Amino acid sequence: MRISISNQIVKKYFSNNTLSQFYNEIFWLKKLEKFSFVPKIKNIDYRKYIISISNEGNEISKRNKPHDWPKQLNKILHILKK
């Protein structure tokens, strides 16, 4: 899988030997689309195996981590476990 970012859209490229990952990614993005922390599907190219998704924020670092990150993490983990 290769990832490309441009204009706040992330494109995830899958090869023929990772097709199960391609379909699994689509399944989970659709299942979790109602939650704000999950990227939104913008486009799916089933011929070239490319998923274009929204960019939902920046990579977290020591400089920009939220003060309540443990609470946010617990909430996300709870949602994923459900």
Side-chain angles (χ1 to χ4, degrees):
M1 175 182 57
R2 184 172 52 97
I3 299 174
S4 161
I5 301 175
S6 65
N7 298 333
Q8 300 302 319
I9 298 292
V10 177
K11 289 189 177 185
K12 299 180 86 175
Y13 300 84
F14 296 82
S15 62
N16 284 335
N17 60 348
T18 61
L19 287 185
S20 63
Q21 291 176 356
F22 172 75
Y23 289 106
N24 193 44
E25 183 97 8
I26 294 167
F27 174 82
W28 286 108
L29 286 170
K30 286 182 176 182
K31 189 163 188 77
L32 298 169
E33 69 186 349
K34 65 183 175 183
F35 299 104
S36 63
F37 62 88
V38 177
K40 308 303 177 243
I41 295 173
K42 298 296 186 181
N43 187 47
I44 301 171
D45 185 333
Y46 288 96
R47 288 183 323 119
K48 296 180 181 176
Y49 308 117
I50 301 171
I51 304 171
S52 299
I53 57 176
S54 62
N55 184 359
E56 295 301 319
N58 299 316
E59 187 174 328
I60 296 175
S61 69
K62 288 182 180 182
R63 289 183 177 181
N64 69 357
K65 71 178 180 183
H67 68 282
D68 66 340
W69 72 265
K71 183 179 177 182
Q72 291 181 29
L73 177 61
N74 284 333
K75 181 180 177 183
I76 292 168
L77 291 174
H78 176 75
I79 289 168
L80 294 174
K81 286 178 183 177
K82 282 174 47 177

